[in-house]
């Protein structure tokens, strides 16, 4: 699925630069831990707040406006041989499991000379799979969640 990561950055509590409107040749995931940013994907505006993820597919028109707000975020640009089926804006999707994977990616990138590109690609695949899981959980209705919890707790009765 993931062929390689062409760019990775974890900016902590900085005012990021705006990105001028252009076509991006790689896929981009930006995960916002704190702050606010506005992305334009194919000229549609998406306002990000803490906990949100933006996905920009390869070949899309991209632009970013950040204002004067400090942000803590990770941006990852990568090549993928498979289609990634995310909406551009994934609201409130960063949970503890995803943070663990992202912390590990931070650790791997802290030692770039010891980095195995295949290992990095597999970690990004795990991040993408976790995002899919988080989307599935958030789209499950509260009633369905209560029913599943009840059945799990009382399946022997």
């Amino acid at each position: 699925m993931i062929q390689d990561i062409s760019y990775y950055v974890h900016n902590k509590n900085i005012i990021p630069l705006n990105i001028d409107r252009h076509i991006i040749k790689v896929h981009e995931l930006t995960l916002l831990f704190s702050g606010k940013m506005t992305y334009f994907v194919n000229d549609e505006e998406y306002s990000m707040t803490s906990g949100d993820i933006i996905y920009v597919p390869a070949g899309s028109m991209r632009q970013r406006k950040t204002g004067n707000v400090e942000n803590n975020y990770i941006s990852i640009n990568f090549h993928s041989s498979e289609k990634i089926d995310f909406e551009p804006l994934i609201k409130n999707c960063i949970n503890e499991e995803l943070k663990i994977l992202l912390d590990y990616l931070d650790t791997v990138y802290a030692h770039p000379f010891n980095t195995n590109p295949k290992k990095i690609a597999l970690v990004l695949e795990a991040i993408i799979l976790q995002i899919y899981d988080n989307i599935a959980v958030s789209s499950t209705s509260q009633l369905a969640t209560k029913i599943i919890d009840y059945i799990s707790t009382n399946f022997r009765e």
Side-chain angles (χ1 to χ4, degrees):
M1 176 202 243
I2 303 301
Q3 295 167 317
D4 66 3
I5 295 177
S6 57
Y7 176 77
Y8 173 86
V9 66
H10 187 167
N11 287 319
K12 298 177 182 178
N13 302 320
I14 66 157
I15 298 174
L17 300 174
N18 291 329
I19 298 174
D20 292 334
R21 186 176 181 269
H22 70 283
I23 293 177
I24 186 167
K25 296 180 181 181
V26 295
H27 299 271
E28 176 185 339
L29 274 176
T30 296
L31 304 98
L32 184 62
F33 300 105
S34 63
K36 293 180 181 182
M37 288 194 262
T38 301
Y39 265 81
F40 295 85
V41 179
N42 295 322
D43 296 323
E44 190 162 335
E45 183 175 337
Y46 298 95
S47 296
M48 295 179 73
T49 56
S50 301
D52 293 349
I53 299 171
I54 197 83
Y55 168 65
V56 184
S60 297
M61 186 66 68
R62 170 187 75 164
Q63 182 179 4
R64 180 176 76 193
K65 295 184 179 181
T66 59
N68 289 326
V69 177
E70 286 187 354
N71 290 289
N72 179 2
Y73 69 96
I74 290 176
S75 281
I76 308 167
N77 292 359
F78 60 96
H79 295 94
S80 176
S81 60
E82 294 180 21
K83 183 178 186 239
I84 297 171
D85 195 24
F86 291 153
E87 294 293 322
L89 180 62
I90 308 164
K91 296 294 287 175
N92 198 26
C93 191
I94 301 174
N95 64 358
E96 289 307 312
E97 292 87 353
L98 193 53
K99 286 179 183 176
I100 290 168
L101 292 167
L102 293 165
D103 284 345
Y104 181 70
L105 198 57
D106 266 350
T107 301
V108 169
Y109 267 93
H111 304 286
F113 299 111
N114 298 328
T115 301
N116 177 330
K118 184 166 177 81
K119 179 169 69 171
I120 291 173
L122 290 171
V123 173
L124 181 55
E125 284 184 26
I127 288 167
I128 289 169
L129 290 172
Q130 184 63 52
I131 293 170
Y132 276 121
D133 286 353
N134 293 357
I135 291 168
V137 166
S138 70
S139 66
T140 304
S141 75
Q142 288 182 345
L143 178 58
T145 302
K146 287 180 183 179
I147 291 169
I148 291 167
D149 288 345
Y150 179 82
I151 291 170
S152 296
T153 304
N154 300 294
F155 73 93
R156 293 183 196 258
E157 296 176 15

